[in-house]
Amino acid sequence: MVGQKYSDAKGALAGAGYSIIVSTTVGDEFARDDCVVTHQQDRTVPPPENTGASPTKQTLLSLNCDAAVASKTEAGNSLASPEGRAAAAAAAAAKASAAAAPPPSAKH
């Protein structure tokens, strides 16, 4: 789940039967669902003694809610860092791909 948006990760993990716990959050630029998962730790929590209950599958997630690249108005990775360069390159590639896509044809 690392590298995915929290909204996508929580849906997949919940579907797999995990309880999700956000263990750490860095930044406040985005709504929680738009934050990026930076670390995942799965664990099994034993049931309380003498209850006959089943163990619980949990996953702890760390989230980064800062922008991919810092700007004057948003906190994020420096363009001098490997993460910042990778994020800037990905954004440039996405922009170039969108610009190269043919416009939708008009239907009459």
Side-chain angles (χ1 to χ4, degrees):
M1 298 295 122
V2 173
Q4 293 187 21
K5 285 177 40 174
Y6 176 68
S7 59
D8 298 333
K10 76 177 179 182
L13 290 166
Y18 283 90
S19 294
I20 298 143
I21 299 168
V22 174
S23 59
T24 56
T25 303
V26 175
D28 62 357
E29 298 293 322
F30 300 126
R32 178 170 276 187
D33 280 350
D34 294 328
C35 297
V36 176
V37 176
T38 58
H39 181 76
Q40 175 183 352
Q41 178 67 49
D42 297 332
R43 67 181 184 183
T44 301
V45 178
E49 290 186 30
N50 303 320
T51 63
S54 299
T56 303
K57 294 190 319 183
Q58 294 181 337
T59 189
L60 305 173
L61 299 178
S62 297
L63 305 179
N64 182 346
C65 298
D66 280 336
V69 178
S71 70
K72 289 182 180 181
T73 59
E74 294 182 320
N77 294 305
S78 166
L79 280 174
S81 71
E83 295 85 359
R85 286 191 300 273
K95 186 176 180 180
S97 176
S105 61
K107 293 186 179 185
H108 299 285

